[in-house]
Amino acid sequence: MACALVRGGHEILSNVIATQTEIHRPFNGVFPELASRRHVDLLIPTLRAALEEARVNPTDIDLVAATQGPGLIGALLVGFNAAKALAYGWNRPFIAVNHVEAHLYAAMMPLSHPPFPSLGLVISGGHTFLSRLDGITSHSLLSTTRDDAVGEAFDKVASLLSLPYPGGPEIEILARQGNIRRFPFKAGSVKGDPLAFSFSGLKTNVLYTLRALPSPLSSQDKADLAASFQETALNDLVDKTLLAAQQQGCSTLFCGGGVSSNQHLRTLFSQKTPLQIHYPPPRLSLDNAAMIAGLGAIQFEEQGNGSPLDTTPFTRSPPKPARAGTRQI
Ligand code: KG4
Ligand code: ZN
């Protein structure tokens, strides 16, 4: 659960994140029912903390924005309906914000005039989206994953290596001690769709390799598995993004979502591509409410009106009309 106050789409007055990692750790991933119930518990304290930190009264608030999806429906229903109730009670407009678009906006938020056309890459526990951006709110999907999201693959491989959830940061740290060439893993590719991602075969590859090693795993074997896996997954992201940039004639990339905080990914991008890359500032890479409030303010400015109060959340994005040869997020 997260709540933020933002002025004018760019200035963050408060950005409170009430993490639930501890309750999900025993399950090696987010347990949806627990997440929904925890959202109910955390809602009011998080809202209060965000108002206090920003030193703002509800009467000073002009607009209420909330995540509409894609995401886990139970948690979305709690936050989205609470935000609609606040907008109704405070008699302010309400704006529904797309979670994936907001991860990209997190990387644009510090810029007053982000350049377009650009590429957008959202890499998190639930999403792997590569898109063309023709404006802050104009996205055309170029490719996504056919199976696991890249962050999910990090979490699953971490669990195979008995590392705690969330696994991405643990793998990144362990990989520093490992040999990236010890295990020649391959990321998935899809015939006829060179930009498509696939990470479930890679994860299975790690599993079979691990089973063939002496048990219990030595700490060097663990580190080598982490390093070889991470190198393969991250190079796949970098190579496919570079190919998309060449195809689309884009020289700028906005990169968001939890996996974008991986420092080795950032090194690979700068070594292997000429792209001008914008990442979210600290505190905006992982799920947060400042990116939702910020994008909500921009959408309201562009649309000139709010979303209807009977708008409902969604698990996956509904289809929208797309540019030829592309799909919408
Ligand atoms: O954006 P996010 O907070 O939530 C979703 O919308 O999913 O991303 C969380 C995901 C988790 O899978 C986590 O393991 C991964 O981001 N992650 C990382 C790193 N930090 C977080 N993956 C690789 N390297 C990291 N440093
Ligand atoms: Zn997210």
Side-chain angles (χ1 to χ4, degrees):
M1 167 63 64
C3 186
L5 277 116
V6 166
R7 188 184 281 134
H10 298 281
E11 191 190 341
I12 299 171
L13 304 180
S14 64
N15 185 21
V16 177
I17 303 171
T19 173
Q20 304 189 2
T21 307
E22 290 307 323
I23 62 163
H24 298 294
R25 187 160 284 150
F27 307 98
N28 282 327
V30 177
F31 192 119
E33 173 75 16
L34 283 181
S36 319
R37 288 172 184 270
R38 195 72 189 125
H39 268 61
V40 175
D41 297 339
L42 292 171
L43 184 77
I44 300 296
T46 311
L47 177 65
R48 278 214 177 102
L51 286 166
E52 270 167 28
E53 198 180 306
R55 295 171 195 277
V56 159
N57 281 319
T59 47
D60 300 327
I61 292 170
D62 297 321
L63 177 71
V64 182
T67 311
Q68 186 177 15
L72 291 174
I73 198 65
L76 287 170
L77 279 166
V78 176
F80 199 70
N81 285 310
K84 287 199 290 188
L86 288 176
Y88 182 73
W90 291 338
N91 195 22
R92 293 290 184 272
F94 168 73
I95 282 275
V97 173
N98 182 300
H99 178 171
V100 176
E101 291 179 1
H103 269 305
L104 288 178
Y105 182 68
M108 301 177 198
M109 203 162 171
L111 308 179
S112 44
H113 297 289
F116 298 110
S118 299
L119 283 188
L121 179 66
V122 176
I123 38 181
S124 70
H127 317 288
T128 310
F129 283 119
L130 180 58
S131 51
R132 177 191 164 99
L133 314 177
D134 287 290
I136 293 180
T137 57
S138 172
H139 306 241
S140 311
L141 186 66
L142 300 172
S143 92
T144 182
T145 176
R146 295 296 173 98
D147 37 62
D148 292 352
V150 62
E152 192 180 349
F154 268 86
D155 293 336
K156 286 179 176 169
V157 168
S159 151
L160 293 176
L161 299 179
S162 311
L163 298 171
Y165 171 83
E170 302 284 335
I171 296 254
E172 178 176 8
I173 294 164
L174 187 59
R176 291 186 198 132
Q177 264 86 58
N179 175 358
I180 55 170
R181 284 183 203 86
R182 164 112 182 255
F183 303 108
F185 295 136
K186 269 186 80 174
S189 58
V190 176
K191 216 172 160 196
D193 192 353
L195 295 181
F197 297 102
S198 166
F199 295 104
S200 99
L202 171 59
K203 170 200 67 194
T204 312
N205 220 323
V206 175
L207 173 66
Y208 288 143
T209 306
L210 180 155
R211 281 189 184 158
L213 290 167
S215 175
L217 285 181
S218 71
S219 52
Q220 194 57 52
D221 284 348
K222 264 193 180 186
D224 291 346
L225 283 166
S228 300
F229 159 76
Q230 172 176 266
E231 196 67 17
T232 308
L234 298 184
N235 270 303
D236 186 61
L237 293 173
V238 172
D239 294 344
K240 286 173 181 165
T241 304
L242 181 60
L243 176 62
Q246 288 159 348
Q247 287 178 351
Q248 298 291 322
C250 294
S251 55
T252 304
L253 169 70
F254 292 100
C255 185
V259 183
S260 75
S261 61
N262 185 295
Q263 292 305 315
H264 189 55
L265 173 75
R266 296 182 180 206
T267 306
L268 289 175
F269 258 126
S270 61
Q271 285 172 348
K272 293 181 78 177
T273 79
L275 292 167
Q276 173 84 38
I277 309 179
H278 297 274
Y279 296 100
R283 297 278 289 167
L284 297 194
S285 294
L286 299 176
D287 282 345
N288 68 88
M291 66 183 188
I292 304 293
L295 181 55
I298 301 289
Q299 272 177 224
F300 188 71
E301 225 173 83
E302 288 185 358
Q303 278 167 221
N305 63 320
S307 312
L309 279 182
D310 59 1
T311 308
T312 52
F314 54 79
T315 310
R316 292 176 187 281
S317 297
K320 291 190 230 160
R323 289 157 36 88
T326 61
R327 286 160 282 158
Q328 290 279 339
I329 286 177

